[in-house]
Amino acid sequence: MRPETPRALAVWVLLEVERGGRAQHLLDRALDRLSWPERDKAYATHLVYGALRRLRLLDFLLEPLLRRPEGLPPEVRWALRLGALEWLLGKPDHARVSPWVEEAKRHHPRLAGLVNAVLRRLAPREAPECVRLSLPDWLCEAWRAFFGQVAFAEGFNEPAPLFLTAYRPVAGLRPGPLPESYLWEGPKADFSALGFQPQNPASLLAAQLLEPEPGERVLDLCGGAGLKAFYLAARGAEVVSYDLNPKRQEAGRRTARKLGLRVDYRTQDLRKPIPERAKKVLLDAPCTGAGTFRAHPELRYRLVPEDPGRMAALQLALLETAAQATEEGGVLVYAVCTLTEEEGEGVARAFLERHPEFRPEPFPCPLPVLKEALGVYVAPEGGLDGFYYLRLRRVDSRA
Ligand SMILES: C[S@@+](CC[C@H](N)C(=O)[O-])C[C@H]1O[C@@H](n2cnc3c(N)ncnc32)[C@H](O)[C@@H]1O
């Protein structure tokens, strides 16, 4: 693939996403290989994320102007959606229409007239809220019922700032919303070599809630490549990180070496018990990811209504292992990067019913709260991912 313009690259990425690819992965890989000016790379990124974040709304705006949109060749359909995105964002016709007509013409010359006519006739249209937010109806309605509003989802449609966690003292970077979290405003760099780890503050908070002490043993369950393990190790904890996926752990080992941090990795399916216990246990469970729609905008169209319940069953099985691994008096933090009721409060209620030896332990949340009950849902605003955290204390049976 050799795209010659940011528009051509955007259309190629979007076609691949339609075939099941992940936008972030496709775009990062393509841009790393191109020696384009930063401005062109930023434009291609803006087009891809913009179209996916507003997809339902764009189709709604185009609907009155097209007889059978699903019958159009996919390249032409994306050119129309991207032209509609730029209309929505206020780009004037003279700068917007002909580039998209040219893009469509490269693939299907006989449809250039149609693209030209449609892009010139776009007109404002009042969209229902779930369409305006480009959310699937089932999720939009479930969120409205559970949170009492769904306006928070507008946060997913804003550009994503790059947050870093710093493992050494830093000067000159804009502080993020948590200690050790910063905003990176320059071009991409070799962050590990600088002692930084790209990490959303909402993900960092899960590790900070454990309040690790130097020398303390911490179990990092579902640790993946170890983002949270790095923070814990940098605070002086002795971290053992468990995960099912040895490839992720190998990547983690390499980053830990670059960062000069020590993490022990063990590969295991955590639906089965582990042979050790600790006073501090973190379970960063696999989930539907419905708090990460800003960085993974296509995910919202791939989830189905059964997914949250299916993930909750797995999360409860993993929590059993985490509970057994928590010593009396110890702390167990359960975190998921999603905002569904099933995977947050639903899991908390089901777990606490079965485990009277655990109590939810409230904590002052330093990030904007969307809802607080047994645990806390953090709102996806200001570039934060949406997350759910539950902090549990294993109560001493003699207390
Ligand atoms: C949310 S990700 C973890 C991210 C990681 N803690 C971090 O901060 O970088 C969930 C992880 O759960 C792991 N996982 C999924 N099912 C598992 C299972 N049955 N046993 C162990 N790990 C599992 C996945 O491989 C994935 O790395």
Side-chain angles (χ1 to χ4, degrees):
M1 193 264 325
R2 267 177 178 275
E4 274 158 23
T5 64
R7 289 184 188 86
L9 176 62
V11 170
W12 176 80
V13 170
L14 290 164
L15 289 167
E16 290 298 312
V17 169
E18 214 166 19
R19 291 187 192 117
R22 286 181 296 131
Q24 191 180 57
H25 176 71
L26 289 158
L27 199 55
D28 286 356
R29 253 193 4 189
L31 292 178
D32 280 349
R33 291 192 195 133
L34 291 165
S35 54
W36 287 357
E38 280 307 314
R39 190 171 37 98
D40 287 356
K41 293 187 174 188
Y43 181 44
T45 306
H46 156 82
L47 290 173
V48 168
Y49 281 88
L52 292 170
R53 287 178 184 143
R54 308 262 174 205
L55 188 55
R56 266 200 95 183
L57 177 60
L58 299 175
D59 283 347
F60 177 82
L61 291 168
L62 289 164
E63 191 179 75
L65 305 171
L66 294 167
R67 219 169 302 137
R68 234 172 45 83
E70 59 292 347
L72 286 171
E75 297 84 354
V76 172
R77 205 160 173 211
W78 282 114
L80 284 168
R81 286 163 164 163
L82 288 160
L85 172 72
E86 297 204 302
W87 172 81
L88 192 66
L89 300 177
K91 200 163 187 174
D93 278 9
H94 65 84
R96 173 182 69 87
V97 177
S98 65
W100 290 113
V101 172
E102 287 309 309
E103 182 53 34
K105 216 191 237 173
R106 283 196 321 117
H107 304 277
H108 298 277
R110 66 186 173 81
L111 291 175
L114 172 109
V115 172
N116 182 51
V118 168
L119 290 184
R120 284 184 194 284
R121 274 190 221 136
L122 282 162
R125 201 177 169 214
E126 196 57 44
E129 191 180 33
C130 301
V131 174
R132 194 168 45 73
L133 294 167
S134 286
L135 290 173
D137 285 332
W138 67 269
L139 184 58
C140 184
E141 275 149 27
W143 276 349
R144 201 182 276 138
F146 183 56
F147 293 114
Q149 52 107 350
V150 73
F152 68 86
E154 188 54 50
F156 290 131
N157 297 336
E158 293 157 6
L162 178 53
F163 289 103
L164 302 175
T165 301
Y167 302 118
R168 324 183 172 138
V170 214
L173 286 187
R174 189 134 69 92
L178 292 178
E180 281 109 9
S181 176
Y182 295 87
L183 268 163
W184 180 265
E185 287 157 317
K188 269 196 188 168
D190 182 355
F191 293 121
S192 321
L194 297 169
F196 297 135
Q197 173 65 49
Q199 183 176 34
N200 195 276
S203 153
L204 173 61
L205 181 60
Q208 291 189 340
L209 288 178
L210 278 181
E211 297 172 350
E213 300 286 341
E216 195 171 41
R217 264 171 69 71
V218 178
L219 299 177
D220 172 37
L221 305 186
C222 292
L227 255 60
K228 295 172 182 79
F230 301 150
Y231 170 81
L232 298 165
R235 304 295 297 183
E238 277 178 33
V239 189
V240 184
S241 186
Y242 279 86
D243 201 277
L244 186 61
N245 186 331
K247 272 199 191 150
R248 285 193 180 187
Q249 294 188 307
E250 193 40 52
R253 256 185 218 108
R254 281 196 300 273
T255 314
R257 262 197 300 275
K258 275 172 116 179
L259 290 167
L261 296 171
R262 174 156 182 199
V263 175
D264 283 334
Y265 288 93
R266 298 195 186 143
T267 311
Q268 192 189 308
D269 185 336
L270 290 166
R271 285 171 295 183
K272 300 201 190 92
I274 55 171
E276 57 186 317
R277 302 174 88 210
K279 272 251 153 43
K280 300 272 171 80
V281 177
L282 171 63
L283 174 61
D284 184 25
C287 67
T288 53
T292 66
F293 288 164
R294 189 183 299 102
H296 305 290
E298 68 281 358
L299 193 54
R300 64 186 88 182
Y301 313 111
R302 295 191 179 159
L303 293 178
V304 295
E306 294 72 34
D307 286 337
R310 233 188 332 252
M311 289 313 290
L314 172 61
Q315 289 150 356
L316 272 169
L318 297 168
L319 256 180
E320 281 301 319
T321 301
Q324 283 181 34
T326 309
E327 289 175 2
E328 272 187 7
V331 173
L332 165 57
V333 170
Y334 167 77
V336 275
C337 57
T338 193
L339 295 173
T340 66
E341 177 176 10
E342 292 89 331
E343 299 166 90
E345 286 294 291
V347 164
R349 283 192 300 266
F351 176 80
L352 287 164
E353 246 167 55
R354 287 188 217 164
H355 288 277
E357 75 281 19
F358 281 89
R359 302 269 151 80
E361 193 171 69
F363 56 89
C365 184
L367 299 178
V369 172
L370 184 57
K371 185 176 177 111
E372 195 163 358
L374 295 167
V376 173
Y377 287 89
V378 157
E381 60 184 57
L384 297 174
D385 284 340
F387 251 80
Y388 175 79
Y389 317 89
L390 174 68
R391 188 160 76 177
L392 297 161
R393 172 85 50 185
R394 183 161 190 159
V395 190
D396 190 313
S397 52
R398 286 160 296 170

